[in-house]
Amino acid sequence: MGRAGKPCAPSSKSSEISRLVDGLMTGELADYQMAAWLMAVFFRGLDDAETTALTDAMLRSGRVLNLSGVAGIKIDKHSTGGVGDKVSIALAPLVAACGVPVPMVSGRGLGHTGGTLDKLEAIPGFRTDLSADEFVRIVREVGCCMIGQTSEIAPADKRIYALRDVTATVECVPLIVASILSKKLAEGIDGLVLDVKVGRGAFMKDASAARVLAQALVRVGTRAGKRVVALLTDMDAPLGAAVGNALETREAFEVLAGGGPADLVECTMQLGAEMLVMGGKATGEKEARDGLAEAIASGTAIRTAERMIEEQGGDPRVVTDGSRLAVAPEEIVIEAPSDGFVLQADALAIGLAAVAMGAGRTRVDQAVDHGVGIIVMKKPGARVTRGEPLARLRARSAQQAGPIAARVRSAFVVGDVPPPSRPLLLQRVDTNSTLERTSG
């Protein structure tokens, strides 16, 4: 039976896949017929050639953006999603400030993982619904632009994903790969850096499943003619401290100012270094990191973020003045129950608690409350004393926060002995090796 992270055996002929997708979009193929095919793929799978054909058919169901008028090698980044993952908000302007154009089409949150668009829309006036032409113009003039998937970009993906959702065929690697890559390649990019999250707060809970997905993404993306690298990064605990839209956007801008939590900074630098090397602006990791650090120190990264926000209708002052990103007024402190060490800060439990507060959604048609959220004060390995804050909730009222506080409290485990350290970077996957760099 097909499961997340399990490679499947080859099935359909590549030459038939384009007609299949075309038929769905023209109405020649009924939804129930595509649903049956998706279920067959779930159980029997697709090989790399067939997955590449499906990716190509899906991206060509709409407009493939022409970024030939944008100088340089265009590189995007995609994350498979996690709790507190606000990296893109800092990464896009930071990399653009170093001379690599970043056209980024992002998504909304669903379930316990947050969405970049929801976080950006915490910025007063910020528009994520730009036309394709506006998107291309801003990438050309500013160096980066961050929008949502429009009706012009891979419309077949939306149709097929809706069918996958109702037929329980979401968790099949070839279908995941085609969904991710069809949207990303339709941007007109030259290369892609992938952040495949691993752990309690990730779609892939264990490293072996994440590795299978990462390898498939790299192989199929390369077959499609793009430069692709994937990093497997830890998501057992939330990334950074903030979980919730305005809180996370504030924290992302702290990184551009030279601050921010250490794990968030490191994840941003790792991904940014890969993008600069891929984009031809650095010959290796050290040179790339030095360039990123200089863009932060000089203020170029902040100015690029301000220009992008202004071009997209938002208030650029939020980058240096976090108070302009409104957060909920009521604060509730979750205290350590005893002296000891934090053994666990369960990203899944914290992410679900944030959703229950209104920071996320369980259905695609739900609105989110940009101002509520959770600030994780202590991460695994931290020493704490009884009564010391483990987390702070920002809620609309104490009444709203009451049931949530108990859920957040249960996400933390405190013990007498510190847990073994878990590195942020677990693996690096590229076309030359399936395991080029691993944790010790």
Side-chain angles (χ1 to χ4, degrees):
M1 180 173 179
R3 291 162 44 201
K6 299 295 183 182
C8 308
S11 71
S12 301
K13 296 178 181 179
S14 299
S15 60
E16 299 173 345
I17 290 175
S18 180
R19 294 207 314 269
L20 190 76
V21 174
D22 289 346
L24 177 69
M25 300 308 291
T26 62
E28 180 184 351
L29 188 77
D31 281 357
Y32 68 84
Q33 291 173 304
M34 176 58 82
W37 184 78
L38 293 171
M39 293 174 71
V41 171
F42 182 80
F43 288 111
R44 298 191 60 192
L46 298 173
D47 62 22
D48 284 353
E50 293 163 337
T51 306
T52 304
L54 177 59
T55 302
D56 184 70
M58 288 166 63
L59 79 89
R60 296 190 185 283
S61 67
R63 179 176 175 182
V64 179
L65 302 184
N66 182 1
L67 295 179
S68 60
V70 178
I73 300 171
K74 279 71 73 175
I75 309 295
D76 192 8
K77 165 260 182 186
H78 175 78
S79 170
T80 56
V83 179
D85 182 5
K86 72 282 294 180
V87 168
S88 291
I89 298 171
L91 184 66
L94 175 57
V95 171
C98 295
V100 175
V102 183
M104 188 174 287
V105 176
S106 300
R108 300 190 182 280
L110 185 63
H112 69 279
T113 60
T116 298
L117 297 186
D118 298 318
K119 297 164 193 177
L120 288 169
E121 287 174 350
I123 300 171
F126 192 91
R127 291 181 55 215
T128 61
D129 60 346
L130 305 181
S131 70
D133 290 336
E134 288 177 293
F135 176 68
V136 173
R137 178 187 64 79
I138 294 171
V139 173
R140 183 176 62 248
E141 295 178 0
V142 178
C144 59
C145 186
M146 304 175 73
I147 62 169
Q149 184 180 3
T150 72
S151 60
E152 300 171 273
I153 296 176
D157 175 61
K158 286 188 175 182
R159 290 282 302 277
I160 291 172
Y161 190 89
L163 293 173
R164 289 168 60 202
D165 193 33
V166 298
T167 56
T169 55
V170 170
E171 297 184 355
C172 183
V173 166
L175 299 179
I176 296 169
V177 169
S179 179
I180 291 172
L181 292 181
S182 64
K183 294 190 290 288
K184 288 297 179 183
L185 301 189
E187 298 168 352
I189 57 174
D190 301 304
L192 179 64
V193 175
L194 295 149
D195 184 3
V196 180
K197 297 296 186 187
V198 186
R200 285 282 299 163
F203 178 62
M204 295 297 187
K205 307 300 183 189
D206 65 88
S208 61
R211 186 185 309 116
V212 168
L213 176 59
Q215 291 171 342
L217 284 162
V218 170
R219 290 196 311 269
V220 173
T222 301
R223 287 181 69 107
K226 306 301 178 182
R227 311 173 192 187
V228 187
V229 168
L231 302 184
L232 275 63
T233 62
D234 179 51
M235 186 39 71
D236 262 358
L239 183 63
V243 180
N245 300 295
L247 292 171
E248 290 191 47
T249 303
R250 280 185 178 186
E251 192 168 83
F253 292 146
E254 290 174 10
V255 174
L256 296 183
D263 59 342
L264 175 60
V265 172
E266 179 58 19
C267 191
T268 303
M269 295 295 278
Q270 286 178 355
L271 293 163
E274 294 285 353
M275 294 173 76
L276 290 196
V277 172
M278 188 179 288
K281 293 298 181 180
T283 56
E285 183 176 356
K286 183 182 185 307
E287 183 182 353
R289 282 178 173 261
D290 288 345
L292 295 167
E294 173 58 26
I296 291 172
S298 67
T300 309
I302 281 179
R303 290 192 293 275
T304 303
E306 290 172 336
R307 289 183 63 207
M308 181 189 75
I309 291 167
E310 187 169 26
E311 288 290 339
Q312 296 191 232
D315 181 355
R317 295 173 295 179
V318 299
V319 180
T320 54
D321 183 1
S323 67
R324 293 181 179 276
L325 290 161
V327 299
E330 190 74 29
E331 182 174 88
I332 292 86
V333 178
I334 308 300
E335 298 178 347
S338 60
D339 296 350
F341 296 89
V342 176
L343 305 182
Q344 183 181 64
D346 186 341
L348 177 60
I350 291 168
L352 290 173
V355 172
M357 295 178 75
R361 57 174 67 83
T362 56
R363 301 190 319 271
V364 293
D365 59 341
Q366 286 179 317
V368 299
D369 184 337
H370 294 108
V372 299
I374 300 163
I375 303 172
V376 178
M377 307 297 293
K378 299 294 181 181
K379 305 287 274 291
R383 179 187 284 276
V384 295
T385 58
R386 182 176 180 179
E388 191 174 0
L390 294 175
R392 300 179 186 273
L393 277 59
R394 296 305 296 257
R396 293 297 170 189
S397 66
Q399 181 180 10
Q400 179 202 37
I404 307 300
R407 296 176 66 165
V408 175
R409 191 175 293 111
S410 68
F412 289 87
V413 176
V414 177
D416 296 330
V417 179
S421 61
R422 181 176 167 95
L424 176 69
L425 177 63
L426 305 175
Q427 277 185 228
R428 181 182 186 275
V429 177
D430 68 7
T431 55
N432 297 320
S433 172
T434 58
L435 184 58
E436 178 164 310
R437 182 170 57 189
T438 64
S439 60

